[in-house]
Every structure is written in structure tokens, then in C-alpha cells.
Amino acid sequence: MDGSQLRIAIVHARWNREVIDALVAGAVATLKEHGVKESNIVLQSVPGSFELPLAAQRVIAGSHVQAGATATDLLGGLNLFSPSSRSSTPAPGGASIGSASTSLPKAPFDAVIAIGVLIKGSTMHFEYICESVSHALMRVQLDTGVPVIFGVLTALTDDQALERAGLGRGENKGHNHGEDWGAAAVEMALHTRNWSQGTFT
Ligand code: DLZ
């Protein structure tokens, strides 16, 4: 899978930070293994898992705004008849076209990975958040058409969560599920691009 042309967002909660950090690192490592450029991986954090669906929905919308804005900048940069669009020194990180300087356009996100760690406590809080977050993340991907990878661990104990991030305290270190989520994001992003062009490989 060639992810070199993809732009991916990771939105993550901050509860259970040790596990979250390992999962995010696993996802980022796999995205890079598949060729996704570091500059095309955008990380955003929110307080808890309950905030993930809104974050996923808004970063997708924001990336369309950003893409529109940079496309306008690019057109401005290409207007070589306007003296104000000319510059002899390219802006940092900017692309130089003729004597005009501009930023490379930012594409909308091809996929979002939503990462959270919910650990069951002694009240019903866990059940309500698990249920609503999983339904809402599904809704975001169906409403937007952008794949949203379900990276929310729902664990009964701390040890279960640690093992699912490859941080198990016993002999079994477990497996970092963040790596699987990175691969799923690349696969679904590529599928979605192909399907939207009527290509079924
Ligand atoms: C309140 C709460 C609790 C008890 N447990 C968790 C958890 O295990 N994992 C998690 O990601 N977030 C938890 N939260 C915070 C909620 O997701 C949310 O951030 C707050 O209720 C504010 O909306």
C-alpha cells in the first residue's frame, strides 16, 4: 500500500495517557512505513473519548476549508500580473513558481484515526461513553464519506489496556493496536479514493 499521497489526521483523547501515547506512536510509525509523509500526518488532542466524534467531524471539515484557502493562495501566487503576488525570496516551506512564492496546497484528510482508551470503573459512565462514541464515530464516517478508524480501546482493567498497546506488565507484552489502525487508515483511504473515481482494483 502506497500512502505517499495521503493526508491523515489522528485525533486522540488524553485520558490514560501512557496507553494513548503508545497507541498514537504505533499508528504514526505504521503510517510512515506505508509512505505517509510526516508533514501529512496531523495530530490533535481532546480531553476524553467522548469528545472524539466532534473532533473527527470538525477536523475533516477544517481540512476542506484549509484546502480551499491554500488553493486560493496558489491561484494568487500564479497571478504573475499582480505586483503584490511577486517575491524574490520563497516563503519558508513555500513553493516557488516563477517569481511568485506560495505554499503548497493542503489536501483534505483522506482518513481520520480516532484514538481513546476507556477503562471500566465502578459506575455506568463507561457503558454510556463506549456506546455513544462508537455510534457517533460510525456516523461521522458515513456522513462525511471519509474513513474514520475506530481506535477506541474499551478495556475492563488497566492491564487489558496496557496489553493492547504493547505495554503489558507481565511476560506477555501484548500487541500495539495502534499499528493496525495506521494500516487500516492507509487501506481505507486508498480504497475510498479509488471507489470515488469508479475504480475497483
Ligand atoms: C469522565 C471520564 C471517565 C470517568 N473515564 C474516561 C476514560 O476512561 N477514558 C476517556 O477517554 N475519558 C474518560 N472520561 C472523560 C470523558 O470522555 C469526557 O472527556 C468528559 O466526560 C467530558 O465530556
Side-chain angles (χ1 to χ4, degrees):
M1 293 190 296
D2 175 13
S4 60
Q5 301 305 311
L6 299 177
R7 190 164 183 241
I8 311 269
I10 296 178
V11 292
H12 69 85
R14 293 192 296 271
W15 273 69
N16 307 301
R17 196 65 200 248
E18 181 190 3
V19 182
I20 290 280
D21 287 347
L23 293 167
V24 170
V28 169
T30 312
L31 291 175
K32 287 188 189 167
E33 275 168 29
H34 286 91
V36 182
K37 298 179 192 84
E38 191 160 343
S39 57
N40 282 334
I41 302 172
V42 175
L43 299 182
Q44 296 287 289
S45 81
V46 291
S49 295
F50 192 71
E51 283 71 44
L52 289 173
L54 180 73
Q57 187 207 54
R58 292 291 90 200
V59 299
I60 290 168
S63 73
H64 283 276
V65 172
Q66 195 182 40
T70 50
T72 307
D73 288 349
L74 185 63
L75 288 172
L78 286 169
N79 180 5
L80 301 177
F81 301 105
S82 154
S84 63
S85 71
R86 296 185 188 186
S87 158
S88 52
T89 344
S96 190
I97 301 167
S99 60
S101 169
T102 185
S103 328
L104 288 170
K106 295 272 183 221
F109 292 122
D110 294 288
V112 177
I113 307 175
I115 297 181
V117 176
L118 286 155
I119 299 178
K120 187 169 168 61
S122 50
T123 67
M124 291 296 288
H125 205 263
F126 171 83
E127 280 80 1
Y128 282 116
I129 296 186
C130 291
E131 176 89 5
S132 58
V133 169
S134 50
H135 283 300
L137 288 175
M138 175 62 79
R139 209 183 92 199
V140 172
Q141 74 168 342
L142 293 178
D143 287 353
T144 61
V146 176
V148 176
I149 304 304
F150 185 68
V152 181
L153 290 183
T154 54
L156 299 178
T157 63
D158 287 350
D159 281 339
Q160 273 187 355
L162 288 165
E163 281 168 20
R164 279 153 188 79
L167 299 172
R169 292 189 271 223
E171 264 184 33
N172 177 19
K173 293 267 165 271
H175 165 71
N176 188 328
H177 285 249
E179 295 167 6
D180 306 337
W181 301 333
V186 172
E187 180 177 346
M188 288 308 296
L190 292 173
H191 273 321
T192 306
R193 273 197 180 190
N194 284 331
W195 293 336
S196 64
Q197 289 160 8
T199 306
F200 307 99
T201 51

